[in-house]
Amino acid sequence: MLIDTTLREGAQLFGAYFNLETRKRIASSLIKIGVDEIELGWVGQEKLSELVQYVSSIAEDTVLSVWSPCREKDILAAAELSVDRINIGVPVSDLHIEKRLSTDRKALLHKISAAVRTAKAVGFKYVSVGMEDVSRADIDFALTTALLAKACGASRIRLSDSLGQLTPRAMEKLVTKFRSQINIDIAVHCHDDFGMATANAVTALESGAMYADCSVLGIGERAGIAVTEELVAWLALRDSNDRYSTKVLKDVCLMVSAASKVHVPRTKAVVGTDIFACESGLHTHALSKLPELFEPYNPESVGIFRKLAVGGKSGKAAVRSALDDCGVDCAATDLTTLTEAVRQLSCRLERPLTRSEFLKLNDEEVLS
């Protein structure tokens, strides 16, 4: 299951400022995608109560949560928001405990115990404890923390690889260890500092985690986190999970791109405009016979269209196929000469040829 945190983690991206209307549109789109839970923001965030009120009216079966520091006053404030869940964040590595919080393990455990009990007392039936920087923590202390949170009433622990330190193999080992020791829900929050966030999130889900955090385009602190559209596509198109809708992914990504000022590369996985564009000779010829040979899923399933073009990398088979697609009889065409002409023009222009350029070039060769 997916926890989308575009409106919390994503909003922490340097230079990203989402006004209330943008946040409403993002939340509405996430509901259409079918994400299981939306982390709507953090306690104290501007106009959070208005956002919660709006999203609650359209959420249907989507769970709504907010993030809170491990402080009683913030937990009490969260209780006024009428959300389903609270996600309490607390660091568990000694580096953070000592240098950031200026405390020790014993005091931290007391603080966590008090926070979870307070959250339960004010009416939260589902309390999640996010263990920040767990990938650099002492694993035995992290387990002690998780077991204490469970004993105090927590329903979920969230393992946060705060600096993107883990590999998929290390993530599998971490989740497996916690899964064997604790029988409440496990979530993961994977940062992308070394480019492995989505892979780590998939590995965690396959290793027994119930939830994975994600954000649209992966936006968040520094390099961001696991990517919503990639996880949705994986679960829907590879794992056949029919809860998720992939056809709206591109539109959601374009909206978040504009709001966050994060460019979507044309080769971006799942939503890039050119991920189903091809001019390579062997691949183009194969795609004309059977798209599944070189496409992992139907382009239209993610709102993208296939683009085949001839250019400097094309062979005679691709040129012949392009003529067929244009309704041109190949009988009058010297394919060898036309292919060479296509390659030369394409290299001169430094791009594939447009349909009109290709047809004009063919006419010139036929009439020459």
Side-chain angles (χ1 to χ4, degrees), residues 244-368:
Y244 306 108
S245 172
T246 58
K247 289 190 176 182
V248 296
L249 290 175
K250 183 179 179 181
D251 289 341
V252 175
C253 288
L254 290 176
M255 176 177 61
V256 172
S257 170
S260 63
K261 303 179 182 64
V262 172
H263 174 67
V264 180
R266 64 188 180 92
T267 55
K268 172 73 174 65
V270 181
V271 296
T273 57
D274 285 352
I275 59 174
F276 289 99
C278 182
E279 63 166 306
S280 176
L282 289 174
H283 287 194
T284 301
H285 182 54
L287 286 168
S288 68
K289 289 186 173 182
L290 185 67
E292 293 94 318
L293 291 170
F294 284 105
E295 291 178 350
Y297 46 83
N298 186 333
E300 294 184 6
S301 66
V302 291
I304 295 175
F305 299 96
R306 184 181 300 114
K307 292 192 292 187
L308 302 180
V310 291
K313 304 158 194 157
S314 300
K316 288 192 290 185
V319 170
R320 181 187 294 110
S321 178
L323 288 171
D324 289 341
D325 288 343
C326 292
V328 176
D329 187 354
C330 298
T333 301
D334 182 338
L335 286 175
T336 300
T337 302
L338 178 59
T339 300
E340 183 59 29
V342 165
R343 289 175 173 175
Q344 289 181 6
L345 179 57
S346 177
C347 289
R348 188 162 70 248
L349 297 173
E350 297 184 344
R351 58 169 174 78
L353 303 187
T354 65
R355 180 186 177 94
S356 60
E357 288 170 341
F358 174 62
L359 289 173
K360 181 180 178 182
L361 191 61
N362 177 63
D363 291 342
E364 290 173 353
E365 294 300 324
V366 170
L367 295 174
S368 62

Side-chain angles (χ1 to χ4, degrees), residues 109-233:
L109 291 175
H110 177 75
K111 188 173 185 178
I112 293 170
S113 174
V116 175
R117 293 182 189 281
T118 296
K120 296 294 288 186
V122 296
F124 282 108
K125 295 180 180 179
Y126 193 104
V127 177
S128 177
V129 175
M131 301 201 301
E132 300 168 11
D133 205 27
V134 71
S135 47
R136 296 192 297 176
D138 176 83
I139 191 66
D140 290 331
F141 176 68
L143 279 168
T144 296
T145 303
L147 289 168
L148 174 66
K150 175 182 180 294
C152 293
S155 300
R156 179 173 70 200
I157 57 167
R158 185 153 64 169
L159 306 175
S160 181
D161 182 18
S162 301
L163 296 183
Q165 304 286 297
L166 300 180
T167 63
R169 183 176 294 179
M171 176 60 76
E172 178 185 18
K173 182 178 179 181
L174 179 70
V175 171
T176 299
K177 188 172 186 66
F178 274 82
R179 182 76 281 154
S180 68
Q181 298 290 321
I182 189 168
N183 63 352
I184 58 175
D185 292 346
I186 293 177
V188 293
H189 183 88
C190 305
H191 274 265
D192 203 38
D193 297 85
F194 290 94
M196 288 183 275
T198 298
N200 282 339
V202 170
T203 299
L205 292 172
E206 291 182 335
S207 301
M210 288 292 294
Y211 295 88
D213 284 11
C214 53
S215 72
V216 177
L217 299 178
I219 61 172
E221 293 277 6
R222 302 184 314 280
I225 64 170
V227 184
T228 296
E229 62 271 18
E230 294 173 6
L231 287 173
V232 167

